Amino acid sequence: MDKLSDVLAPLDDAGDKVVSTTEEYVKKGDDLILDRVMRVVDHAPAFVTLKALADAGGISASLSGIASNPEAFAGLDMALDVPTVMFNIWTAICAFQALSLAKSALASDGNELSQRTITALSMSNWAAARMIGSDNLLRDTILTAVISGYAVRNGSAAGEASLHNMSLQLMSSFTTVLAVLGVVSAVSDKIPYLSGHALFVGMLGLASFHVMATREGNSTVKMGVNAGVLFGMLANALEGGVTLSLTGENLVTNMGLLGLAFVAYEGINRFIGEIMG
């Protein structure tokens, strides 16, 4: 038996070395390859829905630059005209999200985004892609605002602006503006005294925007989006110049312009105070 043990001992040692070496290399393979693959799979729903959103909106990136198609996101009837150029914000939303997902998936010490946030991104992208070319644009704009704002309202995308929460904060802030102005327009169409009176509907939209722009608790990103949209609207309104005719219609138009200038001042001033303070 002793001789047999002497013969088997080297074989046992060799077997132990083979098993240990195999386990060591498997673990290295897990760390170098499978772990990263699994983490990319964790982020796959957000990557897939982000691509669907970018494809639907005509947004693409190449070595020659980033292509944007703001017209794809426009078309909603609103109480105030939001310039088409402002819809380029969707390109920024997609860019921030792509960088965030890539950074999280490739981080050396594990996912930086929680599964809850990844799910929120996926659902928001789905809603936004559904909104483009929708037969009921107001409904899908409201849906996008509600879903994209979920993570902001419930904490996972709240707080100070960062790479990982920027896309949801931008999406929520911008679609909220569109949804509110769209609701004002839709409700006004149902009221006989307001239907067809664009100037008065615009005044209601301006009052609603003033509430959004000046309410307490707005994040820095929301303040920035409100200020940017208001500045774009004011610049667009002033592009054709100001007529000083004393006709009733012109007086009402200029009152609306003054109101827009005041709300824009309030919104921009609050944003500057926030970033400077």
Side-chain angles (χ1 to χ4, degrees):
M1 292 296 293
D2 292 339
K3 291 183 178 180
L4 181 59
S5 298
D6 292 340
V7 172
L8 293 177
L11 295 177
D12 288 341
D13 291 340
D16 287 340
K17 288 181 180 180
V18 170
V19 172
S20 298
T21 302
T22 301
E23 290 177 344
E24 180 183 350
Y25 279 103
V26 167
K27 186 176 185 307
K28 287 182 178 180
D30 287 344
D31 294 339
L32 293 174
I33 301 174
L34 290 181
D35 181 59
R36 294 186 183 276
V37 170
M38 293 299 181
R39 287 168 52 202
V40 170
V41 172
D42 288 342
H43 295 75
F47 276 120
V48 171
T49 54
L50 176 60
K51 185 179 187 306
L53 171 59
D55 289 345
I59 299 171
S60 61
S62 65
L63 293 177
S64 58
I66 298 176
S68 180
N69 184 26
E71 292 83 3
F73 295 90
L76 178 65
D77 290 329
M78 292 179 284
L80 297 169
D81 291 330
V82 176
T84 301
V85 68
M86 302 307 300
F87 289 85
N88 281 305
I89 194 173
W90 285 102
T91 302
I93 289 169
C94 291
F96 276 117
Q97 190 177 145
L99 291 172
S100 172
L101 290 170
K103 185 175 185 296
S104 177
L106 298 176
S108 60
D109 54 351
N111 295 344
E112 294 182 353
L113 291 172
S114 69
Q115 200 60 48
R116 184 172 182 171
T117 301
I118 292 170
T119 300
L121 288 168
S122 303
M123 290 296 295
S124 299
N125 294 340
W126 166 81
R130 170 191 169 95
M131 180 182 68
I132 299 170
S134 170
D135 293 333
N136 192 331
L137 189 52
L138 178 58
R139 176 200 64 197
D140 289 324
T141 299
I142 294 172
L143 180 66
T144 304
V146 171
I147 292 177
S148 62
Y150 175 81
V152 178
R153 294 188 301 273
N154 289 277
S156 61
E160 295 185 5
S162 68
L163 177 62
H164 289 321
N165 65 19
M166 183 63 79
S167 66
L168 280 175
Q169 289 198 16
L170 286 173
M171 190 187 300
S172 172
S173 300
F174 188 64
T175 54
T176 297
V177 170
L178 303 183
V180 169
L181 295 179
V183 167
V184 171
S185 177
V187 171
S188 297
D189 283 343
K190 306 297 183 183
I191 302 174
Y193 294 105
L194 292 176
S195 180
H197 294 81
L199 291 174
F200 296 111
V201 175
M203 290 296 230
L204 287 175
L206 199 55
S208 301
F209 209 148
H210 182 263
V211 173
M212 285 190 292
T214 59
R215 64 186 291 272
E216 295 298 326
N218 281 346
S219 67
T220 304
V221 172
K222 183 177 280 292
M223 289 182 185
V225 170
N226 288 338
V229 173
L230 284 166
F231 177 79
M233 291 167 59
L234 181 60
N236 190 57
L238 292 173
E239 188 175 4
V242 178
T243 302
L244 299 178
S245 170
L246 296 179
T247 63
E249 182 178 352
N250 192 65
L251 287 173
V252 174
T253 299
N254 286 341
M255 285 177 60
L257 183 59
L258 286 173
L260 176 58
F262 172 75
V263 176
Y265 169 79
E266 286 274 298
I268 294 170
N269 192 51
R270 280 176 175 261
F271 176 58
I272 292 174
E274 177 68 17
I275 60 176
M276 298 295 289

